[in-house]
Amino acid sequence: MAVTLKGSYTWISVVLLLVFTALRLDGRLEWNWFYVLIPAWLFDSVMLLYITAQAITEVKRRPTRRLAIILNRLWDLSAVLNKILFQVLICLKLQAVVVIQLSYVFFPLWALLLQMAASLVYRIYLHEKTSSSLPIRRSL
C-alpha cells in the first residue's frame, strides 16, 4: 500500500470515528455503540489483512527467516486483537449489555500499551547494539 493511501485511509477513519463519537455523545445520534465504532472496525480489519499479507510476502521472499517473520507478525496481530477486544468490551459496557468493572474493560488497552512499550525498548536495544558494533571514525 502506498504511504499516501495509508495516511489518507488512517486520517479518514480517525475523523469519521471522532465525528460519530461526538455526535453520539451529544445525543444527536441514537446509534448503538457498535455502529459508532464502524470506522475503527474497518480500520482494524484492513490492518489484520495487511499484516497477514505482509507476513506471507516476507516469508516467500526470505524463507530462511520464516520463524522470526512469523513471530514478528504474531506480535503485530496480538496488538490489533488487543485493540479489538478493548473496543468490544467498551461497547458492551456503554450499551449496558453486561455489567463489568472498568478495570476489566481497560485490561486489553493496558496490555496493548505494555506491548508497545516493550516493542519500543526492544527496538532501541537493537539499534544501540548494532550502532555500538560499528567502528568509530575519528576525524582529524
Side-chain angles (χ1 to χ4, degrees):
M1 222 189 277
V3 175
T4 55
L5 182 63
K6 284 192 272 187
S8 299
Y9 179 70
T10 302
W11 179 251
I12 290 170
S13 296
V14 168
V15 167
L16 283 175
L17 179 66
L18 291 175
V19 167
F20 289 165
T21 304
L23 290 174
R24 175 68 165 98
L25 291 173
D26 194 34
R28 295 183 185 206
L29 285 179
E30 295 298 324
W31 290 356
N32 188 328
W33 278 102
F34 285 97
Y35 298 150
V36 172
L37 293 180
I38 283 177
W41 301 119
L42 292 174
F43 184 78
D44 293 339
S45 301
V46 170
M47 286 304 299
L48 289 173
L49 291 173
Y50 179 74
I51 291 169
T52 305
Q54 189 178 18
I56 292 170
T57 57
E58 282 185 44
V59 166
K60 285 182 179 178
R61 198 173 39 193
R62 294 185 287 176
T64 57
R65 298 202 55 224
R66 173 177 285 162
L67 182 62
I69 293 168
I70 290 173
L71 289 177
N72 284 336
R73 294 303 152 231
L74 284 176
W75 184 262
D76 297 341
L77 283 173
S78 68
V80 174
L81 292 176
N82 269 334
K83 182 179 175 279
I84 291 172
L85 181 59
F86 171 68
Q87 289 172 208
V88 168
L89 289 175
I90 200 78
C91 285
L92 290 174
K93 176 73 174 173
L94 291 172
Q95 285 299 123
V97 174
V98 295
V99 177
I100 187 171
Q101 292 180 355
L102 278 177
S103 58
Y104 296 133
V105 170
F106 279 90
F107 183 76
L109 182 65
W110 287 111
L112 173 63
L113 292 174
L114 285 173
Q115 182 179 4
M116 290 171 59
S119 178
L120 179 65
V121 168
Y122 180 69
R123 288 175 194 253
I124 290 172
Y125 168 75
L126 286 180
H127 178 72
E128 291 296 321
K129 183 179 171 184
T130 57
S131 65
S132 66
S133 64
L134 296 174
I136 300 173
R137 288 183 71 181
R138 298 184 185 192
S139 57
L140 298 175

